[in-house]
Amino acid sequence: VQLQASGGGLVQAGGSVRLSCAASPRTLSNDLTAWFRQPPGKEREFVAAISRTHGIPSYVDSVKGRFTISRDSTKSTVYLQMLSLEPEDTAVYFCAARRGRLVRSAWYDLRQYDYWGQGTLVTVSS
């Protein structure tokens, strides 16, 4: 069971990046997949999550309207499209997956996830 995050890099403020989280097919049968990020010197924080059974993704307030999480079950991949990037978005981005369902109010809690990818660095220059 592996999650492979990719797509990070250096981008100017106002630019865009799309991250991918590729999973073994069995992993993506998990109900919930999320993106977290860890800015330099800070704790890991929730960014967005998408569920197979709950129709509406969830986002942290700071990325609403700029980031979009989506999944392609045929490719066993979850994406994070990031637009209008800001220097504050600079972080290592991790994807995570959970086997079972989880109440929506707990999607932000990194302790609830069973599998983690290795992280991909996004650097936004001002």
Side-chain angles (χ1 to χ4, degrees):
V1 174
Q2 291 186 334
L3 299 176
Q4 182 72 36
S6 62
L10 176 63
V11 61
Q12 290 188 332
S16 62
V17 168
R18 188 178 79 160
L19 304 183
S20 299
C21 178
S24 61
R26 184 170 297 178
T27 304
L28 206 61
S29 66
N30 295 328
D31 186 75
L32 187 63
T33 307
W35 286 96
F36 288 79
R37 66 185 179 186
Q38 188 162 12
K42 296 185 178 180
E43 299 291 318
R44 194 171 299 189
E45 62 184 17
F46 173 79
V47 177
I50 188 167
S51 167
R52 290 172 57 86
T53 54
H54 195 291
I56 303 174
S58 178
Y59 301 92
V60 66
D61 286 347
S62 60
V63 308
K64 286 181 180 178
R66 300 189 299 122
F67 291 11
T68 302
I69 188 171
S70 61
R71 66 188 297 144
D72 183 341
S73 297
T74 63
K75 298 181 180 179
S76 299
T77 301
V78 171
Y79 302 99
L80 185 67
Q81 179 68 57
M82 305 189 293
L83 305 176
S84 302
L85 284 162
E86 304 167 353
E88 293 74 21
D89 296 315
T90 294
V92 177
Y93 284 73
F94 299 88
C95 60
R98 176 184 166 87
R99 289 190 297 268
R101 295 186 182 186
L102 181 66
V103 61
R104 184 181 176 88
S105 60
W107 287 8
Y108 74 94
D109 186 353
L110 57 83
R111 298 170 298 178
Q112 303 296 335
Y113 292 82
D114 303 303
Y115 309 110
W116 288 85
Q118 84 290 358
T120 184
L121 176 62
V122 175
T123 303
V124 184
S125 62
S126 57

